[in-house]
């Protein structure tokens, strides 16, 4: 097992005090292989070097254990399975930008250390407020040298969030989906 594997095992032992269960989980995580099939051709077996079995009911639990030592940030963190959201409040956009950029830098250093990868294409920033004159204001948040996309209507766990959190956009989209399904049935 690699140095990284030993450190990951220590994380498991810190949360799960049964060495037999930790050994079982190590086997599940570290001793996996894959082959590729293309028609009648099959590749040699290759070891998987990281990650958990996708779709496994244990994957979210193992991710929570693995990330239970996330670093402190100014932002509050909200997690669901492998989805982490940072939320920060403030009185002006400059402070929000600086706080989120600093926190993303902190989180990205943690991810790098523990061989996790931030999906920059799925990472967005949004603002929620009731001031009409600020509706066109966007955030300039960065993660390292990369700018984070700003969206006025972002999606979180399948729910579209709008500027004032009225859920009007989400409900409009939901009505359209229901009507489309209803039309198929009629």
């Amino acid at each position: 097992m690699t140095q990284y594997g030993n450190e990951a095992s220590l994380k498991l032992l810190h949360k799960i005090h049964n060495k037999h269960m930790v050994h079982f989980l190590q086997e599940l995580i570290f001793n996996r292989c894959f082959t590729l099939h293309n028609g009648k051709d099959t590749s040699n077996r290759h070891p998987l070097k990281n990650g958990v079995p996708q779709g496994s009911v244990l994957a979210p639990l193992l991710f929570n254990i693995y990330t239970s030592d996330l670093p402190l940030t100014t932002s509050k963190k909200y997690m669901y399975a492998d989805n982490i959201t940072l939320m920060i409040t403030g009185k002006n956009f400059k402070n929000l930008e600086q706080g989120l950029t600093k926190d993303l830098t902190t989180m990205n250093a943690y991810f790098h250390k523990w061989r996790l990868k931030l999906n920059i294409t799925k990472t967005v920033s949004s603002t929620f407020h009731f001031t009409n004159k600020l509706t066109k204001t966007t955030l300039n948040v960065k993660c390292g040298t990369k700018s984070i996309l700003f969206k006025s209507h972002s999606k979180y766990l399948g729910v579209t969030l709008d500027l004032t959190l009225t859920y009007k956009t989400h409900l409009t989209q939901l009505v359209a989906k229901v009507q489309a399904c209803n039309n198929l049935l009629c």
Side-chain angles (χ1 to χ4, degrees):
M1 194 178 314
T2 65
Q3 174 66 27
Y4 162 75
N6 289 332
E7 290 174 356
S9 295
L10 286 174
K11 280 188 169 197
L12 283 171
L13 274 170
H14 182 71
K15 295 291 179 186
I16 302 170
H17 302 290
N18 181 321
K19 66 181 179 181
H20 300 292
M21 180 58 76
V22 170
H23 181 71
F24 170 74
L25 292 172
Q26 286 173 323
E27 291 293 319
L28 178 71
I29 297 168
F30 295 114
N31 293 329
R32 296 180 297 129
C33 295
F34 70 94
T35 57
L36 296 175
H37 301 275
N38 184 10
K40 294 181 180 180
D41 297 327
T42 301
S43 73
N44 293 330
R45 289 172 48 114
H46 298 280
L48 285 170
K49 296 184 175 156
N50 60 2
V52 295
Q54 293 296 306
S56 162
V57 295
L58 284 178
L61 175 65
L62 291 172
F63 182 79
N64 286 341
I65 291 170
Y66 191 68
T67 59
S68 64
D69 62 345
L70 283 172
L72 292 175
T73 56
T74 305
S75 305
K76 291 182 180 181
K77 292 183 269 307
Y78 297 92
M79 294 178 60
Y80 181 79
D82 64 349
N83 187 313
I84 302 173
T85 299
L86 300 178
M87 186 194 70
I88 192 167
T89 58
K91 298 212 182 268
N92 66 60
F93 287 100
K94 200 64 168 163
N95 289 349
L96 297 175
E97 290 172 346
Q98 291 171 347
L100 284 173
T101 296
K102 181 177 178 249
D103 289 346
L104 276 173
T105 301
T106 299
M107 294 292 288
N108 209 32
Y110 172 88
F111 294 154
H112 181 73
K113 176 183 177 182
W114 292 106
R115 296 184 184 190
L116 298 169
K117 188 170 181 177
L118 174 70
N119 189 338
I120 208 82
T121 61
K122 290 185 177 180
T123 304
V124 299
S125 66
S126 295
T127 58
F128 307 105
H129 55 81
F130 298 108
T131 310
N132 286 338
K133 67 181 180 176
L134 298 175
T135 56
K136 302 261 189 240
T137 305
T138 62
L139 291 179
N140 181 21
V141 178
K142 293 189 176 281
C143 183
T145 59
K146 298 187 178 182
S147 291
I148 301 299
L149 178 67
F150 177 85
K151 285 190 169 183
S152 59
H153 292 78
S154 59
K155 208 167 207 179
Y156 180 64
L157 301 176
V159 178
T160 302
L161 304 171
D162 56 73
L163 179 71
T164 57
L165 296 177
T166 61
Y167 303 100
K168 182 177 179 182
T169 303
H170 179 74
L171 293 172
T172 301
Q173 292 169 348
L174 190 59
V175 165
K177 282 183 185 178
V178 169
Q179 285 175 338
C181 288
N182 191 36
N183 289 341
L184 289 174
L185 296 173
C186 294

